[in-house]
Amino acid sequence: MCKCKIGFVLLPIIFGLAFTAHADSQSDRNDADIAQMSVQELMSIDIPTVNGACKFEQRVTDAPSSVTVINAAEIKKYGYRTLADILKAVRGFYVSYDRNYQYLGVRGFSRPGDLNSRVLLLIDGHRINDNIYNTAPIGTELPLDIALIERVEIIRGPSSSLYGTSAFFAVINILTREGKNLKGSEAEVSFATENTYSARLTNGTKLSNGLEYLVSGSRYQSSGQKGLYYSAYDNPATNFGVADHGDDDQNYGVYSKFSFKNWTATGAYLSREKLIPTGSYSVVFNNDQNKSVDAHGYLDVKYEHKLDVSSTLAVKASYDDYLYRGEYIYHVAPGDLLGRNKDSAKGQWVGVEMTYTGRLFEQHMLCLGGEEQYNIRQQQRNYNETPYLVALDDDHTSNRYAVYMQDEYSVLSNLLLTAGIRYDRYSLVGGSVNPRLALIYKPVEKSIFKVLYGSAFRAPNVYEMYYADGATTKGNPDLKPEKIKTAELVYEQYIGEYWRTSIGGFLSRIDDLITQKTDIDGYLVFTNADHVESRGLEAELEGKWPSGFQGRLSYTLQRAVDRETNEVLSNMPPHLMKLNFLVPLYHKDLFAGLDVQYTGPRKTLSGGSAGGYTTVNLSLFSQNIFSGAELTATISNIFNNEYDDPGAGEHLQDVIRQDGRRAGVRFLYRF
């Protein structure tokens, strides 16, 4: 039997079991009337909910993970501009920037050459990681304007038992705004230093016939920093190490969502062009023609039918199209003749998924499902224009399928057991089985203990396996999936009406870690070379008051080492500290925000160090200046601290200088 068809053979079996479970579940609980709730239930009403942890809505205290939820109000009041801005303010996360892309570090891991492939990014449950590099885009290449986010769910730990590959360190699920809540139109413009501006126009509502829609278009442009200095290029032939050109960044995007009865259709497209000032891959330094272009569009159609008060059947189909194009100027030896190298990737894929969630015998909450993805195109090309030379022309088609099941079992009224397992099969690299176990105990009111265990995998992508340009990199088709096993203990305590504390520890072991290294011939190549251990402690204190004042303080102590050599991994800060709070200055119409982030020193690839640093960001948010208007002013890195991020194998620089002080203002008007 053809492998690509096995998933569709197994799916009817799974959903047959699901409907049997549904038929036997005659004692499903109805929605409780608030007047009949217990004191404990009433105290829990304000606890945030999460959808992405188990593929159904539940309180974060019941989720088999350590979860952080950032809502739209926080995003606006702190003046966050990208998903990266949101994530680097979250406990245990940090971001590195090579002035082309932003890379996410989680629990001490941010490996050189990794393109955010160890974190799964979802938008309303739709997988955004592409089928070439498996990248989770968190910068200006994200195919969604940040203003369209309703909330961001950050779900820590391995989740391959539900999501398969890339759900390695975390799952980030973005939930978007609803048209029915917009009820009209809004226009937004922003201006910032470095000749930066953006504009957005959005319209949405729910019509009397039941049709709900939201449509939006946006544009962003920035000239970037001028006069970036890199000591590695400090000689007369390369402008004494100063990049006066090449940090420009621009994008445009559209987004739409239509819902009618049980159907929802979502479409998005964004194209982003970024100039590259760092001279990576030995290109001509300080040349404003070095650039990368990323474009990602998708269409997702979902049918969701509520079988009863607690059971739901969802079926969705999707199509994605991804394009990368890089243009690099290089010296043609001998002499000063310049040539142009063109690098490109084209990905197209379709997917289908069916999921059943429902109660069985009241104590069990089941999630059963299966999915299949067919990669229509996984094409990579590289060639020189002058003289014309094709270095790479590689094209693949592949498929994967998966089946999964999970049971949330209420052993006692205060004891919850979650167990799940998933099987994935890839046509290029074989199969993987990944379980999850979680025990959640609430000994007294507002106290939660979580004992968590899970395994996950990341399948090598076609870039790691097949990319070879004949100049700097070569492929490795023998790569196999890397695997992680994580044990975690979390204690959460709600104190009074406004305070919450969280203390947790984790231990992860990774085998066959895919790492980019330089081989004996001087080429960059990905290998299953490392066996790594990561351990750490995380603590957080959070408070929220009815007046609008809220704050969060967190500290992370972590260590990630090679198990064979006991050497600390590069780009691993041992300490992370975050402090952010919002203060209402005038009723609930004017807020001041403070965001302080400390990142500890990190080892570089050469064995040097990128020193620890602190950034302080301020924001001022005002609404109801007049009817329908909002104004946000921000100053980031207000003390203009100089700091660096470690470079990767393609950089001549050991460290890469980051942004200094920046200021901006955003104005929004609803009509």
Side-chain angles (χ1 to χ4, degrees):
M1 180 181 294
C2 176
K3 290 180 180 178
C4 66
K5 300 299 182 184
I6 296 178
F8 288 117
V9 173
L10 292 177
L11 286 177
I13 300 175
I14 288 177
F15 285 95
L17 293 173
F19 282 113
T20 301
H22 170 69
D24 290 339
S25 179
Q26 300 299 323
S27 57
D28 291 332
R29 289 182 292 190
N30 295 323
D31 290 333
D33 190 289
I34 291 181
Q36 297 176 336
M37 282 186 175
S38 67
V39 174
Q40 183 172 356
E41 289 174 319
L42 286 170
M43 296 297 288
S44 301
I45 289 176
D46 292 332
I47 293 175
T49 60
V50 58
N51 289 72
C54 290
K55 296 197 175 186
F56 58 82
E57 189 172 20
Q58 60 186 160
R59 296 189 184 99
V60 295
T61 52
D62 294 334
S65 306
S66 174
V67 178
T68 297
V69 178
I70 305 296
N71 60 39
E74 293 176 84
I75 294 171
K76 288 193 298 184
K77 291 173 183 175
Y78 283 114
Y80 297 139
R81 296 168 298 173
T82 64
L83 180 59
D85 288 342
I86 298 171
L87 295 175
K88 63 186 176 184
V90 171
R91 164 172 51 95
F93 286 71
Y94 60 102
V95 173
S96 303
Y97 180 42
D98 68 357
R99 310 216 69 87
N100 190 12
Y101 299 104
Q102 293 182 295
Y103 306 100
L104 189 61
V106 186
R107 294 184 168 176
F109 282 83
S110 184
R111 308 298 295 135
D114 175 38
L115 305 175
N116 293 338
S117 62
R118 295 181 177 95
V119 172
L120 178 62
L121 178 60
L122 309 170
I123 296 180
D124 291 325
H126 179 88
R127 180 184 292 262
I128 298 300
N129 299 57
D130 63 81
N131 72 343
I132 303 292
Y133 310 103
N134 212 11
T135 296
I138 63 172
T140 53
E141 72 277 17
L142 175 73
L144 182 73
D145 192 287
I146 205 78
L148 301 181
I149 294 178
E150 182 63 32
R151 72 176 190 262
V152 181
E153 302 173 345
I154 298 102
I155 304 155
R156 298 173 180 83
S159 294
S160 285
S161 61
L162 276 180
Y163 292 105
T165 188
S166 292
F168 203 77
F169 289 123
V171 173
I172 298 168
N173 185 31
I174 298 174
L175 299 178
T176 59
R177 295 169 61 185
E178 301 289 338
K180 63 184 178 183
N181 297 326
L182 186 58
K183 297 178 182 178
S185 301
E186 61 183 31
E188 177 185 309
V189 293
S190 71
F191 303 91
T193 50
E194 299 165 3
N195 194 28
T196 301
Y197 70 87
S198 67
R200 176 180 60 88
L201 182 62
T202 304
N203 176 263
T205 192
K206 186 172 183 178
L207 303 176
S208 58
N209 62 2
L211 175 66
E212 181 180 351
Y213 72 89
L214 185 149
V215 293
S216 183
S218 61
R219 179 78 167 91
Y220 169 83
Q221 169 73 52
S222 176
S223 296
Q225 286 204 14
K226 305 298 182 185
L228 289 165
Y229 172 71
Y230 301 109
S231 60
Y233 290 96
D234 195 349
N235 64 74
T238 51
N239 199 34
F240 297 97
V242 177
D244 289 320
H245 309 283
D247 198 35
D248 299 50
D249 190 358
Q250 61 178 318
N251 71 35
Y252 65 89
V254 292
Y255 174 85
S256 64
K257 180 163 63 174
F258 293 84
S259 299
F260 184 72
K261 295 184 178 179
N262 297 331
W263 293 89
T264 301
T266 304
Y269 176 82
L270 184 132
S271 178
R272 178 246 199 182
E273 179 180 291
K274 177 67 176 70
L275 303 191
I276 308 170
T278 55
S280 55
Y281 294 107
S282 302
V283 302
V284 175
F285 182 74
N286 194 33
N287 187 294
D288 61 5
Q289 296 184 61
N290 295 313
K291 66 180 179 180
S292 62
V293 176
D294 294 87
H296 189 170
Y298 70 87
L299 174 65
D300 187 289
V301 178
K302 181 178 180 180
Y303 173 81
E304 190 171 42
H305 179 59
K306 204 164 184 62
L307 303 172
D308 58 30
V309 70
S310 64
S311 302
T312 302
L313 174 67
V315 182
K316 67 176 182 177
S318 61
Y319 168 78
D320 284 73
D321 190 289
Y322 171 76
L323 171 69
Y324 160 77
R325 187 177 73 252
E327 295 189 12
Y328 306 104
I329 307 302
Y330 63 96
H331 288 289
V332 179
D336 294 328
L337 179 65
L338 299 183
R340 186 186 302 271
N341 175 267
K342 291 194 174 183
D343 192 47
S344 65
K346 176 70 172 177
Q348 293 175 302
W349 63 101
V350 293
V352 61
E353 181 175 10
M354 292 187 282
T355 307
Y356 167 84
T357 57
R359 289 205 172 274
L360 174 65
F361 305 127
E362 192 168 340
Q363 291 85 11
H364 298 268
M365 186 67 180
L366 298 178
C367 177
L368 308 174
E371 62 176 297
E372 183 157 6
Q373 177 177 312
Y374 178 67
N375 296 304
I376 303 169
R377 175 178 292 181
Q378 294 171 294
Q379 181 188 70
Q380 300 180 86
R381 297 196 69 208
N382 184 283
Y383 68 94
N384 293 337
E385 279 190 340
T386 308
Y388 182 75
L389 176 66
V390 176
L392 173 68
D393 190 358
D394 183 78
D395 200 356
H396 284 82
T397 59
S398 64
N399 67 81
R400 65 173 179 85
Y401 68 85
V403 290
Y404 56 87
M405 62 183 301
Q406 179 174 284
D407 180 21
E408 183 185 89
Y409 173 39
S410 300
V411 183
L412 301 170
S413 61
N414 62 349
L415 183 63
L416 196 66
L417 173 66
T418 299
I421 192 168
R422 172 169 165 143
Y423 173 72
D424 286 82
R425 183 74 186 180
Y426 282 72
S427 61
L428 294 179
V429 296
S432 181
V433 177
N434 293 276
R436 164 194 272 175
L437 286 172
L439 191 65
I440 301 174
Y441 178 51
K442 303 175 184 177
V444 295
E445 187 178 19
K446 299 184 182 181
S447 296
I448 303 100
F449 289 90
K450 296 183 179 183
V451 181
L452 311 172
Y453 170 80
S455 74
F457 78 105
R458 184 180 76 87
N461 54 61
V462 294
Y463 168 70
E464 295 166 331
M465 297 175 70
Y466 302 113
Y467 187 87
D469 62 8
T472 60
T473 62
K474 66 180 183 180
N476 183 1
D478 296 325
L479 283 174
K480 55 185 178 180
E482 57 186 19
K483 299 190 176 185
I484 186 173
K485 295 179 180 179
T486 297
E488 189 171 355
L489 178 63
V490 180
Y491 166 55
E492 297 178 354
Q493 180 68 52
Y494 288 79
I495 304 170
E497 297 181 58
Y498 310 125
W499 292 96
R500 181 192 68 87
T501 63
S502 174
I503 301 174
F506 61 87
L507 172 64
S508 298
R509 291 204 163 192
I510 304 175
D511 291 309
D512 299 319
L513 182 70
I514 300 172
T515 302
Q516 187 183 59
K517 295 190 174 183
T518 303
D519 70 1
I520 58 175
D521 298 323
Y523 287 91
L524 294 173
V525 62
F526 290 94
T527 63
N528 292 106
D530 294 332
H531 301 274
V532 172
E533 180 177 283
S534 172
R535 60 181 65 200
L537 297 172
E538 296 180 339
E540 186 171 70
L541 175 65
E542 182 179 19
K544 292 185 179 182
W545 285 262
S547 65
F549 181 88
Q550 67 181 69
R552 185 185 299 114
L553 172 66
S554 70
Y555 171 71
T556 301
L557 173 67
Q558 57 193 6
R559 180 176 172 85
V561 299
D562 186 305
R563 298 207 311 259
E564 296 177 0
T565 65
N566 205 37
E567 290 186 4
V568 172
L569 300 186
S570 63
N571 201 12
M572 193 286 299
H575 307 280
L576 294 171
M577 185 175 292
K578 313 291 174 72
L579 169 65
N580 47 63
F581 59 83
L582 294 167
V583 180
L585 301 179
Y586 180 75
H587 300 298
K588 294 187 178 182
D589 294 332
L590 182 64
F591 286 83
L594 176 69
D595 182 5
V596 183
Q597 302 169 19
Y598 170 74
T599 301
R602 292 164 287 171
K603 188 173 78 171
T604 65
L605 279 181
S606 69
S609 176
Y613 65 91
T614 301
T615 58
V616 180
N617 311 307
L618 289 177
S619 63
L620 192 66
F621 171 78
S622 177
Q623 57 187 0
N624 299 324
I625 309 169
F626 52 87
S627 180
E630 292 180 358
L631 182 69
T632 307
T634 59
I635 304 178
S636 58
N637 194 5
I638 61 172
F639 298 114
N640 202 30
N641 288 342
E642 294 184 351
Y643 66 100
D644 306 288
D645 285 337
E650 66 268 22
H651 299 111
L652 186 60
Q653 306 95 322
D654 196 34
V655 295
I656 297 174
R657 179 54 48 90
Q658 300 302 299
D659 290 331
R661 184 187 300 115
R662 301 181 68 191
V665 61
R666 178 188 69 92
F667 177 75
L668 180 146
Y669 179 64
R670 295 187 180 90
F671 55 96

